[in-house]
Amino acid sequence: MTGPHPRRDEARLSAWVHGHVQGVGFRWWTRSRALELGLTGFASNRPDGRVHVVAQGSREACEKLLELLRSGETPGTVDNVIADWNEPDAPMTGFSER
């Protein structure tokens, strides 16, 4: 095997957030929480009204971000969050709003 091996506690969270989450500061809020948790990635508005959140870092921090997304304390109204877990992908820097 060649190439870098991800640490066992590293993860990549892909979360699709459904609800009234565009135009309400949701991506900014998500970015702030992710940076506080030491995660990299992005929050992106999708044409269908969802926000796609991709976060990479420690599994524990990703799980905490997912908890926050589902907490009911976000801007706007979150109806549902569909989460998918993967191994970390190519390194990302910072956390951007797209």
Side-chain angles (χ1 to χ4, degrees):
M1 287 198 252
T2 60
H5 299 286
R7 294 185 10 230
R8 287 187 186 273
D9 65 342
E10 296 282 302
R12 180 183 180 105
L13 166 67
S14 180
W16 294 91
V17 185
H18 300 247
H20 178 61
V21 289
Q22 291 190 9
V24 292
F26 185 87
R27 290 177 304 151
W28 178 88
W29 181 90
T30 301
R31 177 179 180 270
S32 297
R33 301 296 78 77
L35 290 172
E36 289 168 3
L37 291 165
L39 297 169
T40 59
F42 62 86
S44 172
N45 281 343
R46 306 308 301 165
D48 61 6
R50 296 179 299 172
V51 170
H52 185 206
V53 177
V54 173
Q56 194 162 280
S58 77
R59 175 84 185 203
E60 183 180 1
C62 287
E63 287 175 352
K64 179 64 177 166
L65 180 63
L66 182 57
E67 272 179 41
L68 290 166
L69 293 173
R70 291 176 167 160
S71 69
E73 297 172 18
T74 66
T77 307
V78 173
D79 295 332
N80 195 14
V81 180
I82 306 297
D84 187 28
W85 293 94
N86 289 294
E87 291 293 313
D89 202 349
M92 294 183 278
T93 56
F95 199 95
S96 61
E97 295 173 48
R98 297 182 181 172

